Structure formats: structure tokens, C-alpha cells
Amino acid sequence: MRIFLLTKTPQNERTKLCLRLLASSEDALVYLAGDGVYNLLGRGEEPGGIRQAANQADKSLTVLVPRHRILASREDLEARGISADGKATVPADFYDRLVDDMMREGSRIYTF
Amino acid sequence: MRIFLLTKTPQNERTKLCLRLLASSEDALVYLAGDGVYNLLGRGEEPGGIRQAANQADKSLTVLVPRHRILASREDLEARGISADGKATVPADFYDRLVDDMMREGSRIYTF
Amino acid sequence: MGTLTIILTDGPYISQYAEMAYKIAKAAKAKAHRVNIFLYLDAVAIPKAGQNPAFFANAGELFAELARLGVKVEACPRCATARGYAPEGGKSEDYVEGIKITSLYRLAEMLEESDRVVTLTR
Amino acid sequence: MGTLTIILTDGPYISQYAEMAYKIAKAAKAKAHRVNIFLYLDAVAIPKAGQNPAFFANAGELFAELARLGVKVEACPRCATARGYAPEGGKSEDYVEGIKITSLYRLAEMLEESDRVVTLTR
Amino acid sequence: MRSFFFLLDSAPYGNEKAFGLLNAAAVSSKMNVAVGLYGDGVYLALIGQDSRALGLPNHSDILYAYPEMRILAHELSLADRRLMSASLVERVELMDEEMFLKEMLQSDSIILL
Amino acid sequence: MRSFFFLLDSAPYGNEKAFGLLNAAAVSSKMNVAVGLYGDGVYLALIGQDSRALGLPNHSDILYAYPEMRILAHELSLADRRLMSASLVERVELMDEEMFLKEMLQSDSIILL
């Protein structure tokens, strides 16, 4: 299992690289902490935006990964005024689960 | 006179903002120090590149500003293996000139 | 039981990474994993003694706690010496208890003996 | 003669900005301008005493030199206290000579009295 | 009176720059001060921030504590982040690219941290 | 033998990350180590670097001092920076997007500073 711990905003170049690696990993599990929780904002399409997203080819996290494979840190969501809103699981024991998943036999951890 | 001290690579978002401000300033003088000297690489067009530059609308510094209004720091160019190559002036007294220009009556300094 | 190494490059407060590393290291230690933290570049400022943040959790105390829990916290000597944390027998007088200034080769050893590596950096 | 204020937010070595600020401040001072430098966020580490970089110019010494030349170098007390540089009567025992820990309101005063403001930050 | 444009281009909470910039703008607010939210800085405009569990000061409270500061947000940055239809702090004044750049160039100084 | 992919995504000299990453990779080079130049990190591949006047160590010399490290450069990043026709350090192995990502995912760990 490939675990991606993402701590940066959607516009950060490291996030874009992370998503490209994700896209070629079938069994990805994504942990969002810090500014990574901004990746839960909005959806694939923006209704009535001033212009289209700069790069149509870049798919957002919530389009790439099913909600049950995204976990987000509650305190980071709350601080930033973001609701997971059915787009991610928000466990009470975020860091415990992260450690269990990443230390599990056969898993890999990538941090962006 | 508007002085722009640019110290970041062309891909940095602050550089892009700097260039947009530059584009609406007729009397701009640009000082390149640190990673800012990477803005002298290449030209407006890339012959035979793998793909076109990501955003065609973003013009590069050397397209926006005539060479006699760009000054670059010699030691920063040398360290990075970049030649000013007729695209900028490379004064021996870069910081002296920067200070003279920015402290001159009526000028403004912007740092990116 | 596995071995986890965390690499940090930011100082305290400027980013969330010191605190995030603390949370991960503490959770891993509680599950009886071996945990190493290598402090690189600006991160050598994390264990400075005498920190007194008005608005944030005290990073020096968090890392002293990790050291008490058995987390190996080691700092890069080049980075620490440059920044005024002189290595005296591997111990900086500026540091909280339990943090050592060792060698960049220790980072390579940590990598070699680790099952997982996490880098937290801006 | 004018007044120039430089604001820094990065610590030494991690970026070129401390050194760039030194070059600008020195050139401005040589031309008899008044120069202020405000050390904010991570930049409060720039004047730490005892720095000994193997590969870079010693940032502490560069800023001590600026102070001797009459450049006012002042550090933010919130940032400095958080990071373990306790203000004792405006002077940190950890700092090289001539650098003071003052107040964020001094930044506002510097801005008010300056003809030009330069921010150098990552 | 001198005018200062404080440009915030990084997201709040993940690093100290938003907090630092807001404090610097606040102490300067007897002068003519605008805080411009640009790029990732526009995330500061989201309503409903509650940073108690994270153990950091609430950044949007600072906006309300200093009503004399103007708070401008760059619309294109909001649109790129799909925030045009999100609920934003009411203090924030939306501004198109042209006006935003004009405000920057009209200030005596631009301050980026 | 463990394999490590050190990803450099910032330009050399302007900050310490390139120097720090190269040193970390160098001490680890008895293991299976690749340095991947990506984004602004590809500027490290430019030939003719002479950092004496700047007072910093020459970063490209480090590449030559450790021939056992593989040095990979991401072609799209080079192209975006108009470096495909520039003269590059000969140690550097150009790699397309697909291969570059594959190398990353095949390593035991990816290290970003």
C-alpha cells in the first residue's frame, strides 16, 4: 500500500507532483495534514468561475481518489474553516492511524 | 522611476507577479540578484522544445524590458553558469548602483 | 516493530513541521517503533533551550519530551556549527536535554537501518 | 540623504537574503543614507553569537559590522522570545554586539520614517 | 500619510508568514495600510476558522480587530482555488486583477514577507 | 541494498537546499542513490558554474565527486525553463516524465528537502 502524506496547498508544485504519482498508484491512501487539507476545497468543476482552472489537465485530489481512501486531520480542517463534507474521513486518531498504515508490512510512505 | 529588484526564478509566482507589475510601468529598471539572474536564460521562443511554455500569456523578462534597463549581479551570474550575453548590463558596482537608483528622488523600489 | 526516520529542515514556528514531526514520532513511539529524527539545515534550531513562544507550543520542550521517550534526535554538525550551536563532544550547551549534534554520516546510517523515512519540509 | 529600511524574515545560510541585505545596507551606509534593518520571524537568528560557517560568510559578523557602521539592527521580540533569544533590557546575551531586541511597533516607526522599504524574503 | 500594501501570498496556519504579516500590518494601521490577499493568501478569507484545537491564534480574528486596515482579495486567485462561491470573511473586498495591481503600484511601498 | 531517490526541486545558490540535498545524497552514496532534478532543481545541471566570487561552494563539483550517484533530470522541467538546448553537466541523465515518476516509485524512499 502506498501512503501519501500531503501537507501542501493544491497550488504548490509538490502537490502537483504528488498527484501525478498518486495517479499511477492504484492502492493509494492519502493523509491530509497542515495546508494539505485545502485539497478538499471545491470539486472537479467550478460553476461560473471567472476563468477555468489554469491547467485543465491537473485533476484535483478529490477527483483522483475515492473519499474512503482520504483521511484528513480534524484540527487542521477546523483551523482553516474547511469542512470535509463527505470528501474524506476525519478520524479522531489521525496520527495513530497514519503510523499504523505507514509502518504496516509492505507499505511505503511518501511525504509532500 | 520604478526599480524592481528581482531575486527569484522565472517559475516563482512572485516573479510572475513582478513581471505583471513591470508590464504596466513604462519607466521600469530591473535589478537581478540571487536566483533572479535565471530570468536571463533563453529567449521569448524555445526552438524545438518538448512542449510550448506552460502559459503562453506569460512573457519573459527579456521580452518585456529592453537590455539597457536590466542590470545583473556578476557573482550571481557566474555562480549559476549564466551569461548575460547582451541581455543585461553587468556592472562592477551592482549594489552601489542599486542604492543610487532606488534612493534617488522620486523613485520607488519593489522587491520580489 | 519497525524503525522510522524523520528528517526536518525548518526551524520552529516558521512552519508546522516541527509540531507535525512531534505528533508522528510520539504516536510511533507509543506503538513501540524505533524512531530517529535528523535535524538538518534550519531545523538545528528546534532544540534550542529557553524558547518561550506566546502563541505556539514550545518546540524545544516537545523535542526534549521525545528524547525522554527514547526517540533519537540528532543534529547535523555543519548546519549547527554554522548557526552558532557549537558541537562540544556532541552536545550543544544551547540545546535542551537529550539532543545530540552528531554527523551527517549518521543520517546515512539512519536511512540504512530504517524501514520508513519521512521528510517534512517546506 | 534618505532613510532605508530593510525587512528580513529568513535565518542565515538557508537563503541568500541575509548576505544580500548586508551588501545593500553597506552600500547605502557608505553613501551616508540612514539604514534600518528589522529582523522578523526566522531572521531573529541572524545575529546569534558564535556562528562558525565552514562554507559561507559569517552572518553574525556581517551584521555586527553593520551595527558598528551605524546601521540600526533591531529584532522582533515575539519572534526572538519564541525562539529562545530572551529580551533582557532589549539585549539578548546570545547576540553579537550592537543588535537590539525592541518591539514590533518599532517596525511601524521605521516604516513611517523611511523613504524606501526593501523586503528580502523567500 | 504614507501608504503600505502588505501582500500575503501564503496560506494561513501552515506557516508563520500569515500571522507575521497580519501583526506587522496591524501595528502599522495608523498609517494607510492595505492587506492584499493573493495566491495562496486568499485562503485567509475563508469564514469559520477555529484554530483552538490546533493551538494557534485565530488569524481571521485579527482582521476584525483592526477595522482601519483594508483587506483586499485578488479575484483570479480566488477563482483558481474555486473559492468564488465559498463563504468569505465579510471584511474582504474582492478586486479584479487590474484594480489589484493598481492598488499595489499606488502604495508608497509593497511589503511581502 | 536500499534505494533512495533524493528529489531536488529548488535552484542552487539562492538557498541552502541544493547544497544540503547534495551532501545528504553524497554521504548515502554507498547505498543505491539517485538525485532527481525536478522543477527549479534542473538549474543545477547548467555547465560552467563558478561560485568563487559569490563565496559559496561549487555545487556542480559535488556531482563529479560522487560518480556512484545517478543524476537524473526531468525533461519537462528543462523544457519549461528553455534548457533543452543549453549545455548541461554531462553526468546528467535526461528522463521523460513517465520514466522519472517510475524511478521515484521504484525507490524504497523519496527524500525531499
Side-chain angles (χ1 to χ4, degrees), chain A residues 109 111, chain C residues 4-5 7 111 114-119, chain F residues 4 109 111:
Chain A
I109 172 80
T111 343
Chain C
L4 168 68
T5 292
I7 304 174
L111 295 180
S114 289
D115 299 291
R116 303 286 182 274
V117 179
V118 162
T119 56
Chain F
F4 294 93
S109 297
I111 293 174

Side-chain angles (χ1 to χ4, degrees), chain F residues 9-24:
Chain F
D9 61 358
S10 56
Y13 303 107
N15 77 60
E16 199 183 4
K17 288 198 171 183
F19 188 54
L21 185 130
L22 290 172
N23 286 328

Side-chain angles (χ1 to χ4, degrees), chain E residues 8 17-27 35 44 59 62-63 69:
Chain E
L8 177 65
K17 287 201 170 180
F19 188 55
L21 184 129
L22 289 172
N23 285 327
V27 295
V35 171
L44 182 69
H59 291 10
I62 305 175
L63 300 179
M69 293 193 295

Side-chain angles (χ1 to χ4, degrees), chain F residues 63-80:
Chain F
L63 300 179
Y64 284 104
Y66 298 88
E68 62 275 33
M69 291 193 294
R70 291 176 65 204
I71 315 290
L72 319 175
H74 181 247
E75 276 183 348
L76 278 178
S77 300
L78 286 165
D80 280 346

Side-chain angles (χ1 to χ4, degrees), chain B residues 11 18 29 31 33 52-53 56-58 62 82 89-90 95:
Chain B
Q11 287 68 35
C18 176
L29 196 56
Y31 277 81
Q52 300 292 327
Q56 296 277 9
D58 287 344
T62 52
I82 297 172
T89 303
V90 184
Y95 287 99

